[in-house]
């Protein structure tokens, strides 16, 4: 419980940089507090949340450049992966990629846990 509260507190302090992922992880920790001993429930959800944020950050437009050429006001942005977004860039590609990564990760972790593979040799 203290981990969840600590993540939320640190997320609020660092809201304009890494705050949103930390707040969401803290809320997930608090929401899953009652099932903390059941790895088959807790682990896929937390792994899916991490996968969502990693994919979201990699695909979303991160830095933008604006220039005015002959009154056109061109804006283009780039993501960490190098994708170039022009004409009103949005976070929709990041949300789609994050959701897909979360669903795939949750399914993969559940499958490994169901088959009894703990990853230890």
């Amino acid at each position: 419980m203290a981990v969840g509260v600590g993540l939320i507190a640190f997320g609020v302090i660092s809201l304009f940089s890494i705050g949103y992922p930390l707040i969401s992880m803290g809320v997930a920790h608090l929401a899953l507090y009652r099932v903390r001993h059941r790895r088959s429930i807790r682990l896929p959800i937390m792994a899916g949340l991490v996968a969502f944020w990693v994919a979201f950050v990699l695909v979303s437009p991160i830095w933008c450049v604006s220039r005015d050429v002959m009154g056109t006001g061109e804006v283009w942005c780039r993501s960490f992966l190098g994708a170039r977004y022009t004409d009103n860039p949005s976070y929709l590609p990041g949300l789609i990629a994050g959701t897909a990564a979360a669903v795939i990760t949750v399914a993969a972790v559940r499958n490994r846990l169901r088959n009894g593979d703990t990853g230890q040799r």
Side-chain angles (χ1 to χ4, degrees), residues 44-75:
I45 293 173
M46 296 306 286
L49 192 56
V50 170
F52 171 84
W53 282 112
V54 168
F56 180 81
V57 168
L58 288 177
V59 175
S60 293
I62 299 297
W63 59 89
C64 298
V65 174
S66 172
R67 63 181 173 188
D68 191 14
V69 179
M70 306 274 290
T72 59
E74 180 184 26
V75 176

Side-chain angles (χ1 to χ4, degrees), residues 9-77:
F10 189 68
V12 169
I13 292 170
S14 62
L15 188 63
F16 295 112
S17 59
I18 60 169
Y20 290 116
L22 293 177
I23 290 172
S24 66
M25 292 294 286
V27 169
H29 270 283
L30 292 179
L32 296 172
Y33 180 72
R34 291 190 184 267
V35 294
R36 65 187 177 273
H37 300 295
R38 297 180 61 188
R39 288 182 58 199
S40 62
I41 295 174
R42 180 180 45 88
L43 196 59
I45 293 173
M46 296 306 286
L49 192 56
V50 170
F52 171 84
W53 282 112
V54 168
F56 180 81
V57 168
L58 288 177
V59 175
S60 293
I62 299 297
W63 59 89
C64 298
V65 174
S66 172
R67 63 181 173 188
D68 191 14
V69 179
M70 306 274 290
T72 59
E74 180 184 26
V75 176
W76 57 271
C77 301

Side-chain angles (χ1 to χ4, degrees), residues 6 27 53 73 83 92 95 102 117 121:
V27 169
W53 282 112
L92 186 60
L95 291 173
D117 187 6
R121 302 256 175 216

